[in-house]
Structures are given as C-alpha cells and as structure tokens.
Amino acid sequence: MLLDFEQPIAALEGKLQEMQRLAADSDVDVTNAVTALEAKIKNLKKETYANLTRWQRVQLSRHPERPYTLDYIDGMAQKFVELHGDRTVADDKAMVGGFGEIDGQPVMFIGQQKGHNTKQRQFRNFGMPNPEGYRKALRLMKLAEKFNVPIVTLIDTPGAFPGLEAEERGQGEAIARNLKEMFMLKVPVICVIIGEGASGGALGIAIGDRVLMLENTWYSVISPESCSSILWRSWDYKEQAAEALKLTATDMQKAGLVDGIVKEPLGGAHTDPDAMIATLKKTLLKTIKELAAVPAAERISQRIDKFSAMGVVVE
C-alpha cells in the first residue's frame, strides 16, 4: 500500500528495478547509473520523511502493514501467556494482555489489538475496547502489582467503542477508574503509543512513569476527521484539523505530554518491523532498569507530579 506522498519514491524504485533487470538480462554496464539512482532514492526518502505534515504522519500511523500489539509482544517476549476476561462480563478481544519475559525480565503486557485483515479487524472490533476491556486491563495491572512485575502498555486505538451497549455498561466509569488506579500502582509502568492514540480510549491505559511515542504516531483528544466533522461539518478539512491539533510525537514532547520518542526505520515501522521491534525492546529494557532503581513511593509521587504539571492555565 502506497500513500500519496510516497508515489515519487515508488516511481524511482520502479526505475531502479528496470535498470537491475536490464543489467541481469544483457551485457550493458549500468553500475554507475544504479549507484546514482540508489543514492537519489535514499536522499529523497530522507527528505520526504523528515518533512512530513501532521496529516501524513497520521496516515503512516494507520498503515495496515505496521506491527500491532501482538506483533510486538511475539517479537520481544518469550514465554508469553495471554490472560482473558474481566471476571464480570466478557473477554474483550480488542484489549489483550498477559505475562511474558523480555530476555529474562518478567513483564505484564497490556494493549489494544487491531487486525491484519477484515476478519481479524471485525474480531478485534477494530481496536476499540468495550468497558470490559478496560476492566480486564485493570485486573491485569493489579495482578502485576501483586507479583511485583513491571507493566508495559502498547497503545493503538481509534478510541474506546462508542456504542450504546458500551455506554450502558459504564464505558466512562471504566476508563476513569483506570486513570485513578494507574496513578497508584506500585510497580513501574511504561506506556508506548505504537499507532493511534485517540482520546480516552488511549488514555485509559496510558498513565505511566514513562509515556513514549513511536516516531510516526499520534496522540490527541480527538481524531482529525472527527475534529473536522465537528468544526466544519465535513471530513474534507482533516488536514487542517491535524495541523491545529498538533498531535504528532514531536508536538507532544514539546508540550511536555510525553517523555520520549522512539525512532522508527526510515519510511515507517512497517518498512522493517523486525528492526522496529528490536529498537523498542532495547528501549523498554533500559527504561525498566531505570525505573526499578527508584523506590515505589517516590515513583508514585513523581508520576502524580508529572501529570499534575501538564497543561497551561491562563488567568
């Protein structure tokens, strides 16, 4: 799948393949031309991805070939055991979690899961959890606290499920309770936005000692399309909405709303999932080690102070 701004790169890559076929099928020496074109493609990629608009980063965050939560868990963790159910209503397939090990370090993984095809997306409710999903997440957090295991949440959701039945079962209360409880968890909590971070659906598992964003992800109270439909009564102004929302990783770090940005491979996480997973694994192990050295009471105090200091008040 090619995005609009990737078309010029794809055109040059097509020419490169033609040259390479020509070299293979004939005695024509095109080595210099191939080398020059490869350098041109590399430079164009660097320039393109270094100057993406906010809307283009939103598009990259939604690329269907990006790794999802279970891809990261499968790539990073050994002995992963998925746990199910909120012990009240059901097992929400949009929210997954369980114990695993990263190179011998026990971790409780929790995250929203989308799907790689239509059937999986329907099964996972397109990554939009119901209240039982957030209650399952909280149950697993408390279980991690009981066994003194650090928590890693992987956030990738277009929002909590907005259906009537979700509201009837207490969607708002479930998310609000998670916010309250996550502030007081005695174990290290690391939250990573790996794709879309929309509204309370993302925030419901995003209160942590460290909140990180992958380079081409977004985090906002509302999606650009929904913002556009409210302000302009049309989705046609989603690009302007994205610019106004300032929702990229760089924007969030400047605003003091996230603690760090995890670099993606050139072109996005989907271009080299193994490299992306390896980078995140290294970052998580380093961060867990740093947080484990801080006493629990001090860590909780720092967590509360960090979120309390967010925002700007104008009198």
Side-chain angles (χ1 to χ4, degrees):
M1 174 184 166
L2 282 176
L3 300 171
D4 293 343
F5 59 88
E6 295 176 316
Q7 296 293 346
I9 298 171
L12 289 180
E13 288 177 334
K15 289 182 181 179
L16 178 62
Q17 290 175 358
E18 288 178 12
M19 284 187 181
Q20 290 170 335
R21 279 197 298 268
L22 177 64
D25 296 341
S26 66
D27 296 328
V28 179
D29 186 6
V30 293
T31 304
N32 292 337
V34 167
T35 301
L37 189 54
E38 286 176 339
K40 186 176 181 180
I41 291 171
K42 186 176 181 180
N43 290 333
L44 180 58
K45 279 185 174 181
K46 286 182 178 179
E47 183 181 353
T48 299
Y49 292 107
N51 297 285
L52 293 176
T53 66
R54 291 181 173 93
W55 172 245
Q56 287 169 341
R57 292 202 186 275
V58 170
Q59 289 178 292
L60 272 181
S61 76
R62 296 170 174 169
H63 198 289
E65 295 172 19
R66 278 182 76 89
Y68 294 136
T69 292
L70 287 176
D71 298 317
Y72 282 104
I73 294 173
D74 290 342
M76 291 189 293
Q78 304 86 42
K79 303 178 183 177
F80 175 66
V81 178
E82 185 175 354
L83 302 174
H84 300 272
D86 70 339
R87 300 296 186 266
T88 304
V89 176
D91 179 40
D92 190 340
K93 304 301 182 183
M95 188 77 77
V96 298
F99 285 112
E101 287 186 4
I102 306 179
D103 293 350
Q105 168 64 58
V107 173
M108 172 62 81
F109 290 100
I110 300 168
Q112 291 108 351
Q113 174 68 16
K114 293 182 177 177
H116 289 288
N117 54 48
T118 302
K119 187 175 181 179
Q120 288 180 8
R121 291 182 191 117
Q122 290 176 332
F123 179 72
R124 299 290 181 181
N125 200 31
F126 300 88
M128 296 186 292
N130 279 279
E132 49 268 29
Y134 292 99
R135 291 175 179 132
K136 173 168 73 171
L138 181 57
R139 182 177 75 83
L140 299 188
M141 291 176 201
K142 290 294 187 181
L143 194 61
E145 185 178 46
K146 179 179 179 180
F147 291 104
N148 196 30
V149 172
I151 298 166
V152 172
T153 69
L154 302 173
I155 297 147
D156 186 12
T157 180
F161 185 59
L164 178 62
E165 61 274 27
E167 299 298 340
E168 288 174 341
R169 292 197 300 275
Q171 185 73 283
E173 185 276 339
I175 293 173
R177 182 172 295 276
N178 278 22
L179 304 188
K180 175 180 177 291
E181 296 289 347
M182 289 187 78
F183 276 113
M184 304 308 297
L185 290 169
K186 296 182 178 66
V187 294
V189 184
I190 305 167
C191 309
V192 187
I193 293 138
I194 60 172
E196 299 184 90
S199 192
L203 194 60
I205 57 169
I207 304 296
D209 303 294
R210 297 288 185 274
V211 180
L212 309 175
M213 291 181 72
L214 301 195
E215 184 181 6
N216 297 306
T217 62
W218 64 274
Y219 192 23
S220 177
V221 70
I222 193 171
S223 71
E225 293 93 334
S226 297
C227 180
S228 175
S229 67
I230 291 171
L231 296 181
W232 288 282
R233 306 296 181 188
S234 168
W235 280 23
D236 296 338
Y237 299 91
K238 53 187 179 291
E239 294 181 36
Q240 292 95 313
E243 291 297 317
L245 287 168
K246 296 182 179 179
L247 39 58
T248 66
T250 304
D251 294 322
M252 292 293 104
Q253 190 174 42
K254 285 180 180 178
L257 300 177
V258 300
D259 302 300
I261 300 172
V262 182
K263 189 80 173 173
E264 294 188 18
L266 185 62
H270 62 282
T271 62
D272 193 346
D274 291 340
M276 184 70 259
I277 291 168
T279 299
L280 184 57
K281 176 181 176 180
K282 183 178 178 181
T283 302
L284 289 176
L285 286 173
K286 178 184 176 183
T287 308
I288 289 171
K289 186 176 180 180
E290 291 173 357
L291 293 173
V294 181
E298 184 179 342
R299 203 166 49 235
I300 292 171
S301 179
Q302 290 175 355
R303 194 185 303 158
I304 293 171
D305 290 344
K306 179 179 71 169
F307 280 89
S308 298
M310 290 180 182
V312 178
V313 177
V314 179
E315 294 183 358

